[in-house]
Amino acid sequence: MPKLEAIKGLIPGRIRHSFRAKIFVAFLIMGMLASLDTMFYIGRLLYRVELTEARSLMLATVVQMAETVDTDAVSALLAADDPSSLKEFNQVRSQLMGMRHAIVRALDADDGDIEASSVNEVVTDLYILGKTEDPGVGRLIVTFHTEETGRLYDMSRFPVMMDSWNHAQAEEEASTDEYGTTLSAYAPIKNDQGETIAIVGLDTAGVYYRNVLLMVAIIAFLMFLGGVLVSVLFAWVLSRALSKPLRTLAGAIEQVASGDLSASVEERSTSDEFGLLSVRFNEMVRGLRERALIKDDLGQAAAIQSGLLPSEAPAVEGFDIAGGIRYSQETGGDYYDYIDIDSDRGNKLGIVVADVTGHGIASALMMCSSRAIIRTTARKADEDVSLLMRTVNSSLVHECQMGKFVTAFYGVLVPDEHRLEWASAGHEHGLLIRAGSGEIEYLKSADIPLGIVSDREFVAGQSVIFEPGDTLIVGTDGISQSRNSADEFFGFDRVADVVKGNSDASAEEIRDAILRAAQNHEGTDDLEDDATLVVVRRHPNASQP
């Protein structure tokens, strides 16, 4: 990994951060590699063409020489111990010299820049080899190098030379012997009876072909440079064409990221990925605009719903009351309320904690409807909490959608008697923590939730008497059933422990402590469910108003 980071550090920032630059470099590299491969291929091809032409010319020369040389003179030279002493030697050697100049002129037919003084540098030797008793060894009977006349030559090193006793051949590539590096061609010399009596050989200098190779290399390199220029132009045009729709899309995304949802891109008619991206981007932005409108509507709905909740705790003589709610979404189905009930028997306070199934806007609307019905019924029912449950249930049965229902706890607090008349419709148990003994009394009922069955006869209300310091906790399942990562519920016991640990605290402080403990138990700010809580506490000091 450190090596990879070091390599990345060598790449200019513009290339690393620009898609267009990356495409340009990628196509440029591919173009240069293709040009390089083409350069080598054409270079090899041109060299092989030049070499093939030279071999053909050399082969034609030795064949012509083998056919025109005086075979009687060659036979005489073969029989002599010192061929250079015979007059036939100069005769044959002169004939070879003429052929030497002819092949140089042919090799230089294109440019004509080989001077007479450099003939020896092109055609290094023309020679005749005769047979000896050893099939792999020949005897030089005529050569430009007079001092080498009569010398034995090891032919076995060169298979093409050995085969040339049967038919004319030329070496495929230059070879090296004691006389240097040369490209050679050979042809058999036959007598009148058709028997091979000697071979004629032609050696051309390897340096000549190195010059040819250099010329070919220059041509190939110029072609490579041309290919590079074409690659640069091609890479620039293609990178611009490919990156343009992405640059446009990136600019539109920047607009959206800055909050401008009016951004859009031209939808391409092509069926490729770019066309699909443009279509999907515009669809996404339209969806975001719709969601933004919905979010704005939800914000307004949340404000309206928040306005339906009590703005402050009621002042009730001898009691301290506090309530609170946390929604898992912008709106929810939980709700609590305080209802002033003015009757002939004095002022009383209706306390409601309810939970509509589900979350979101549908549950919030159901909550609003339930609140209205409960408020309308509460003053008529007075302390008859069972009557209120029956009346509200009958109304909600016709309003609840399929699968929707409402759990509710309703109590009427009679401050003068320190008494609470209560009823529960499928709701979470209420907890009454006794200050004197620390015991916990569960306020629970077997009645079903509201809005399920019409004409339901709810059980008669039950009563509890508050002693000084007693605390009542009524909440929704978002409190007791909040779970941690180990899938453990917060539970009623933890609620009671929080209350006991804050025995000297106010109702508001107890409310905040319970909500905070439940959230800490979950270990996250993302709530699974709405959480609602009402705390009713009788002042510990009976004389305290």
Side-chain angles (χ1 to χ4, degrees):
M1 291 301 292
K3 291 184 178 179
L4 183 60
E5 292 300 324
I7 293 174
K8 288 182 178 178
L10 298 176
I11 302 175
R14 179 172 176 79
I15 296 178
R16 284 188 283 115
H17 301 138
S18 170
F19 178 72
R20 179 181 176 184
K22 290 176 183 176
I23 294 179
F24 176 81
V25 171
F27 279 113
L28 180 59
I29 291 174
M30 287 191 293
M32 291 178 66
L33 291 176
S35 299
L36 192 63
D37 184 66
T38 303
M39 178 189 76
F40 282 115
Y41 174 78
I42 293 178
R44 288 193 300 269
L45 182 63
L46 290 176
Y47 179 68
R48 296 306 303 177
V49 169
E50 290 287 337
L51 195 61
T52 300
E53 290 181 357
R55 289 177 65 251
S56 299
L57 180 59
M58 291 171 62
L59 198 57
T61 300
V62 293
V63 168
Q64 181 183 0
M65 186 176 298
E67 291 175 351
T68 58
V69 72
D70 188 340
T71 55
D72 292 336
V74 172
S75 298
L77 294 173
L78 290 170
D81 292 333
D82 183 10
S84 61
S85 63
L86 301 180
K87 63 178 182 179
E88 286 85 353
F89 178 83
N90 291 327
Q91 175 187 342
V92 174
R93 190 169 184 273
S94 297
Q95 193 174 6
L96 293 181
M97 289 291 288
M99 296 301 296
R100 182 185 196 184
H101 285 279
I103 190 170
V104 169
R105 286 193 298 272
L107 288 172
D108 194 46
D110 291 336
D111 47 20
D113 62 352
I114 300 179
E115 300 177 357
S117 59
S118 61
V119 169
N120 293 340
E121 297 177 4
V122 178
V123 178
T124 58
D125 202 2
L126 264 171
Y127 51 89
I128 296 176
L129 275 173
K131 286 185 175 181
T132 64
E133 294 179 357
D134 186 348
V137 178
R139 180 168 171 254
L140 285 166
I141 60 173
V142 178
T143 174
F144 291 158
H145 308 288
T146 307
E147 68 278 4
E148 298 291 328
T149 303
R151 182 178 178 274
L152 297 178
Y153 187 80
D154 183 8
M155 300 183 298
S156 62
R157 295 173 293 175
F158 308 106
V160 174
M161 180 182 283
M162 294 292 293
D163 290 342
S164 66
W165 288 89
N166 299 317
H167 53 84
Q169 291 195 69
E171 299 280 1
E172 291 289 338
E173 299 287 348
S175 58
T176 302
D177 62 4
E178 57 269 33
Y179 298 108
T181 301
T182 59
L183 182 67
S184 304
Y186 319 98
I189 300 174
K190 300 180 182 293
N191 59 18
D192 294 339
Q193 288 76 35
E195 298 173 346
T196 300
I197 58 174
I199 61 171
V200 59
L202 170 62
D203 292 344
T204 54
V207 67
Y208 171 77
Y209 298 100
R210 284 196 294 271
N211 292 335
V212 171
L213 182 60
L214 178 61
M215 177 190 68
V216 169
I218 292 173
I219 294 174
F221 181 70
L222 292 176
M223 293 181 65
F224 169 72
L225 290 181
V228 169
L229 292 176
V230 172
S231 299
V232 170
L233 180 60
F234 177 78
W236 183 83
V237 172
L238 199 57
S239 64
R240 181 180 176 84
L242 289 177
S243 63
K244 182 178 179 180
L246 288 181
R247 292 199 309 273
T248 303
L249 185 61
I253 290 174
E254 287 293 336
Q255 281 185 263
V256 173
S258 65
D260 182 5
L261 297 182
S262 65
S264 65
V265 295
E266 180 182 357
E267 295 187 2
R268 298 166 60 91
S269 58
T270 57
S271 58
D272 58 14
E273 287 79 359
F274 292 130
L276 182 63
L277 276 175
S278 63
V279 172
R280 292 291 180 265
F281 174 80
N282 288 337
E283 291 177 351
M284 180 193 72
V285 174
R286 284 193 292 271
L288 289 175
R289 284 198 291 266
E290 292 172 0
R291 291 191 179 190
L293 291 174
I294 293 174
K295 187 174 181 179
D296 183 61
D297 291 342
L298 285 175
Q300 296 182 38
I304 294 172
Q305 185 175 26
S306 178
L308 296 177
L309 297 174
S311 58
E312 58 182 5
V316 178
E317 183 178 357
F319 286 88
D320 186 12
I321 301 174
I325 190 168
R326 293 183 310 170
Y327 289 118
S328 59
Q329 299 178 11
E330 286 86 349
T331 58
D334 277 18
Y335 120 86
Y336 73 97
D337 198 6
Y338 309 123
I339 306 172
D340 290 327
I341 301 174
D342 187 9
S343 69
D344 295 339
R345 291 185 291 174
N347 292 330
K348 304 162 191 175
L349 180 68
I351 300 174
V352 186
V353 178
D355 182 3
V356 180
T357 54
H359 312 285
I361 193 68
S363 297
L365 292 173
M366 189 71 187
M367 181 274 283
C368 293
S369 178
S370 302
R371 176 183 180 275
I373 296 172
I374 292 174
R375 275 187 163 267
T376 301
T377 308
R379 292 179 175 83
K380 297 177 182 178
D382 198 11
E383 295 181 29
D384 191 348
V385 292
S386 178
L387 173 61
L388 179 135
M389 289 294 189
R390 291 196 303 272
T391 305
V392 172
N393 178 69
S394 297
S395 298
L396 289 180
V397 163
H398 303 291
E399 294 193 19
C400 283
Q401 300 174 355
M402 184 65 67
K404 290 283 186 182
F405 55 84
V406 181
T407 69
F409 178 96
Y410 178 69
V412 176
L413 180 64
V414 183
D416 295 343
E417 302 176 13
H418 310 129
R419 174 171 55 87
L420 179 74
E421 292 291 322
W422 67 274
S424 176
H427 197 73
E428 285 280 289
H429 307 329
L431 273 71
L432 181 61
I433 296 92
R434 295 297 185 179
S437 62
E439 293 181 358
I440 303 173
E441 295 181 16
Y442 291 95
L443 279 59
K444 54 186 177 180
S445 169
D447 274 321
I448 64 174
L450 305 173
I452 297 179
V453 179
S454 61
D455 301 327
R456 169 75 179 183
E457 288 296 330
F458 287 84
V459 298
Q462 304 178 58
S463 297
V464 293
I465 301 297
F466 284 89
E467 300 296 336
D470 289 351
T471 303
L472 172 66
I473 306 295
V474 181
T476 58
D477 55 7
I479 299 291
S480 62
Q481 294 184 19
S482 60
R483 292 181 293 185
N484 59 16
S485 58
D487 210 32
E488 297 174 335
F489 289 115
F490 185 65
F492 295 114
D493 290 341
R494 287 188 175 90
V495 173
D497 289 342
V498 173
V499 175
K500 292 176 181 179
N502 293 270
S503 57
D504 295 330
S506 66
E508 183 177 350
E509 291 170 337
I510 293 174
R511 176 202 65 193
D512 293 342
I514 293 174
L515 291 174
R516 185 167 54 250
Q519 185 166 357
N520 291 339
H521 178 77
E522 285 188 343
T524 176
D525 292 334
D526 298 326
L527 302 178
E528 289 186 10
D529 196 4
D530 302 333
T532 303
L533 184 67
V534 170
V535 179
V536 180
R537 187 167 185 265
R538 183 180 176 189
H539 289 302
N541 187 346
S543 63
Q544 184 176 350

